[in-house]
Amino acid sequence: MRGHSVLLIIGGGIAAYKSLELIRRLKERGVSVRAVLTRAGGEFITPLSVAALSGEQVFQDLFSLTDEAQMGHIELSRSADLVVVAPATADLMAKLANGHANDLASTALLATDKRVLMAPAMNVRMWNHPATRRNLATLKGDGVIFVGPGDGEMACGEFGPGRMAEPLEIVAAIDAALALPGPLSGLKALVTAGPTQEPLDPVRFLANRSSGKQGYAIADALARAGAETVLVSGPVAIAPPPRVKLLRVETAREMLAACESVLPVDVAVCAAAVADWRPESLADNKIKKGENAPALTLIANPDILATLSHGARRPALVVGFAAETENVIAFAQEKRLRKGCDWIVANDVGPGTGIMGGETNTVHLITANATESWPQLDKSEVGVRLAARIADALRGNAA
Ligand code: C5P
């Protein structure tokens, strides 16, 4: 379970106190937990306890500007690997079964593209009510997974089904749900990211401003979709995504060797800003400051994208990037043909776009048949969408 993330929606029931224990048990197992506390849930446990145990901000209000500024409700619902509702009240089940979205919890449930696991907790009469029976059947038909409820004495003094599953039972159900295959399960992905550094002497190098954020987000999304993912990264200042095998390199030649060591793969996404040239020679010692500035002779680096695209062990799908400052689409279309890759993700990195090093990206996806312009999106969302498109292509659902 380590490295997975769960969005925990805590509904309003006395069983909410068990959700605090659930957070503890998940954190112990290396699962990160972000919580939504419904208004009714907040009558039973405090946001402070949830925040203290989860180590994350607690989200409570659909219309809170501060919450939305931290993380929009759509992203909140999509950034986790699994959405868990515990306790799932009769009301929350009814809302999702009928598609209501009138508070943060129900909106997140409707907006998510991830699996949903519910741990119902309610009075036995409510559980047995025909309306709840109908909602349960609808939700199961929609693919919602259930754990519990158990039989026993209830806080209201009655006896029967309706007790929320115990935290460790919910942990086991979460473990099983996370292990279910994703759209890219069984497939292998290679992603390059970050800049390369081309040394001049032992202390100096040529490099570029790539932060690696977009490539890391793509690797994260591919891994979350179930692909066995290897990320070949130049030097960057960001943490590797969980469940991704990271190969650190410095130069373009090292990056190519690392990529070739990973073949065969089903898909390669070359998001690295590989230095096109490197100094012809590498000085053994630091070049001393003299009268005249030293001349720098550059030679071409291998083109990793073109090499993978034309190689004998070509991945079924090869995706390149094109960072352009003018004629973005036209240059990218030409680049797709020249490099021999299947798709190009093109973006405008001109001064003032803030894309280099920024959190968002505005891209065009260029395939053999079409050019799609995506709206401005978080780099993580670009990763999620691209992973979904890759899954469609590799599973034969799309061109
Ligand atoms: O030719 P240009 O550098 O603009 O092409 C960008 C695309 O090519 C990116 O996908 C980048 O990762 C890849 N590339 C590469 N090896 C190089 C240069 C670029 O893989 N030496």
Side-chain angles (χ1 to χ4, degrees):
M1 299 176 87
R2 185 162 295 281
H4 284 91
S5 60
V6 159
L7 176 68
L8 175 63
I9 296 178
I10 305 174
I14 183 61
Y17 79 91
K18 292 192 200 171
S19 301
L20 296 175
E21 170 81 6
L22 174 62
I23 297 173
R24 291 272 297 129
R25 301 282 87 91
L26 289 171
K27 296 286 289 181
E28 272 170 13
R29 288 162 175 75
V31 176
S32 62
V33 182
R34 224 177 238 143
V36 169
L37 184 61
T38 64
R39 191 178 301 274
E43 300 288 337
F44 291 91
I45 56 172
T46 70
L48 188 60
S49 344
V50 179
L53 291 172
S54 67
E56 303 252 2
Q57 184 198 347
V58 179
F59 295 83
Q60 290 183 274
D61 190 356
L62 180 58
F63 301 109
S64 151
L65 283 178
T66 39
D67 281 8
E68 277 293 300
Q70 288 281 329
M71 176 169 294
H73 60 275
I74 302 289
E75 195 194 340
L76 186 64
S77 71
R78 295 166 67 105
S79 60
D81 296 308
L82 180 72
V83 180
V84 177
V85 190
T89 58
D91 182 58
L92 278 170
M93 286 176 60
K95 278 182 171 165
L96 183 59
N98 293 286
H100 289 272
N102 59 357
D103 61 7
L104 183 58
S106 51
T107 306
L109 281 168
L110 209 58
T112 192
D113 57 352
K114 300 295 158 44
R115 284 197 184 86
V116 176
L117 171 75
M118 287 188 155
M122 66 196 73
N123 170 277
V124 56
R125 288 167 206 277
M126 293 168 77
W127 178 248
N128 286 330
H129 193 284
T132 307
R133 302 279 96 199
R134 273 197 307 276
N135 292 334
L136 179 66
T138 302
L139 292 169
K140 282 187 174 169
D142 289 347
V144 175
I145 306 165
F146 283 85
V147 54
D151 259 27
E153 195 178 342
M154 311 187 59
C156 55
E158 295 197 53
F159 198 88
R163 283 170 61 98
M164 186 168 90
E166 295 304 319
L168 285 177
E169 283 175 64
I170 302 177
V171 167
I174 291 173
D175 197 9
L178 288 172
L180 290 171
L184 286 170
S185 291
L187 298 177
K188 193 167 171 190
L190 162 67
V191 180
T192 71
T196 62
Q197 289 180 354
E198 309 296 333
L200 277 164
D201 69 17
V203 298
R204 301 185 180 94
F205 56 80
L206 297 178
N208 61 66
R209 292 185 194 282
S210 167
S211 67
K213 283 179 189 165
Q214 186 58 80
Y216 274 52
I218 292 166
D220 189 26
L222 291 169
R224 286 182 195 282
E228 178 191 343
T229 305
V230 181
L231 173 60
V232 179
S233 173
V236 295
I238 50 179
R243 292 175 286 126
V244 159
K245 181 175 175 197
L246 180 69
L247 300 179
R248 289 180 209 273
V249 298
E250 288 184 359
T251 67
R253 286 179 297 173
E254 287 168 9
M255 186 172 274
L256 176 59
C259 289
E260 287 184 327
S261 77
V262 169
L263 296 178
V265 297
D266 298 285
V267 55
V269 181
C270 293
V274 184
D276 292 318
W277 306 282
R278 66 177 181 274
E280 183 176 35
S281 56
L282 167 62
D284 290 337
N285 293 303
K286 183 180 169 193
I287 302 167
K288 287 290 178 203
K289 189 173 175 183
E291 283 272 295
N292 300 315
L296 206 55
T297 309
L298 300 177
I299 55 169
N301 263 332
D303 190 313
I304 298 163
L305 175 61
T307 308
L308 293 176
S309 298
H310 293 117
R313 289 180 296 167
R314 187 190 196 281
L317 185 66
V318 183
V319 184
F321 269 68
E324 304 287 357
T325 55
E326 55 177 342
N327 295 335
V328 176
I329 293 176
F331 283 167
Q333 279 163 337
E334 182 269 324
K335 186 169 295 176
R336 194 186 77 80
L337 297 172
R338 182 162 41 84
K339 301 262 189 174
C341 58
D342 301 293
W343 299 351
I344 286 272
V345 180
N347 50 12
D348 186 344
V349 292
T353 61
I355 284 175
M356 278 273 189
E359 298 300 330
T360 64
N361 208 349
T362 310
V363 306
H364 313 275
L365 178 64
I366 289 155
T367 67
N369 312 315
T371 296
E372 266 175 43
S373 296
W374 294 0
Q376 183 180 5
L377 297 166
D378 276 344
K379 287 181 176 172
S380 60
E381 182 64 18
V382 171
V384 169
R385 288 193 187 201
L386 190 62
R389 292 299 298 268
I390 289 170
D392 282 349
L394 292 179
R395 298 289 181 203
N397 301 333

